[in-house]
Amino acid sequence: MHGGEAQTVIDVAVVAVYLVFILGIGLWAGRQLQTLEQYAVVGRSFGPLVIFATMSASFIGGGFSTGNAQKVFLFGVANVVGLWGFSLKEILVARFVAPKMDRFPTAISVGDIMATAYGKIGKVVTGLCALFLCTGIVGAQVGAIGIVFNVFYGLDRSVGIAIGCGIVILYTTFGGMRAVVFTDLVQFAILAIGMPLVLVFGINYVGGIDALIAAIPRDRIEIPGGYYAWPGLVALFLVFMFGETLVPPYVQRLCTGRTAKDAARGTLYSGLFSIPFFAVTGAIGLIALAIDPSLNSNLALPHVVVTVMPPVLQGLVIAAVISIVMSSADSFLNSASIAFINAIVLPLRREPLPARSSLMLAKLVTFTVGMLSVLFAVSIESIIDILIYAYTYWAPVVLVPLVAAVYRSRKGAAAFVAGAAAALVVATVWDYVFGKPWQIEGLVMGVFANLIVFLAMPGMKRAAIVLD
């Protein structure tokens, strides 16, 4: 066996052992689950460091790694600035929202919080939006998994999806949030080490920072620059600030904290960590541009890994790239099932569903959403574009009334419905009739439309407290 072939075998073995290890941890962690609450929030038992690690592993999916490298390759570092809208959002949530979570001691989903202010309709509509959002984001991760296995091992995209998604769907279906958190801890440790390693070896490969800057077009390192003028850059920042604010997996993690203070500290650490991490994955996109300007942009990050990483470390970094995708996919899979059961099925049933039946149905939904996400992924090629499309029907509808509910809104169901309707109309017309003027996404306009209508609606004398 030649040296190169031997090295390939070693790298494949490293990744195979890692995947088996992750599957084993996930299945082991999911033992003895008895209730839907255990499946969703694991007994509210985690401290700030665990919340930090699992929340970070959840948001650092294909869109914020492979997708970020792709967009920086195409449009420059302005995309990193746009992603920092997400970082600011995490810091604001840590300061203003997470400390209030002790007001909802029995909540296991976003729908439960919404129900306290807007009743059953608020809970069900939020559940539908959450289901759509989570399916779309899992679809983004599915697409990234296919790319990873294709680039690294030459496997057909469908085979890569079958391997990566099969493992994620299996342990998430049987292990719920406990399996997600335990695997997230391992995945976070690997990706937090692996991505900076790629950056260091990549800069060395192209001859240093000065050589890197000289090798790429100037508009890629200007802010604003290239594709993004100031209006488009500000709009992108707002998209990532609003788009994932209080999405289902992050709210579930706020609910898993021992205390609201623990949840707030973990969220703050996560937001601070995201700032340099987005810069790292964006810089890898610039390295890919310096190495091969004709490269398919979707392959920017994987191509750099294959090109610059030395033996053995390449296998570890490939495991890190796979971790990035899997750690986000499992979180949104779990949240999709919780949204469907807890915020749609249970509120609409005349008779309560037995605890064991709720748990079994949640597992079935997890598996089904995983399968449907595969279909969603093949219809949109860009991972970042999938994320923005999924955000469009979450943030405009849910964000404003959800923050109001956390602060004990007295607006009531009528304000929720009116604001949601206005948001959907404005977002859809802005995107598909006006064609996104000034590069501003309809998501942003929808959020502001909801805010205006919601605030204009008369309030109620007292808030309804409903946790179905």
Side-chain angles (χ1 to χ4, degrees), residues 400-419:
V400 169
L402 177 55
V403 173
V406 170
Y407 279 84
R408 294 179 173 170
S409 167
R410 295 178 181 270
K411 286 290 185 178
F416 169 77
V417 172

Side-chain angles (χ1 to χ4, degrees), residues 107-186:
I108 66 172
S109 73
V110 181
D112 286 333
I113 297 172
M114 295 289 277
T116 64
Y118 316 110
K120 183 179 292 187
I121 189 170
K123 187 171 187 176
V124 172
V125 170
T126 299
L128 290 170
C129 292
L131 184 62
F132 177 81
L133 172 78
C134 292
T135 302
I137 292 182
V138 173
Q141 312 316 316
V142 167
I145 286 176
I147 292 172
V148 166
F149 279 94
N150 176 263
V151 172
F152 290 138
Y153 300 121
L155 295 177
D156 183 80
R157 188 166 179 255
S158 61
V159 175
I161 288 173
I163 295 172
C165 291
I167 292 172
V168 170
I169 292 171
L170 188 60
Y171 74 70
T172 307
T173 296
F174 289 100
M177 179 59 78
R178 193 164 185 261
V180 170
V181 170
F182 276 64
T183 55
D184 278 353
L185 295 178
V186 177

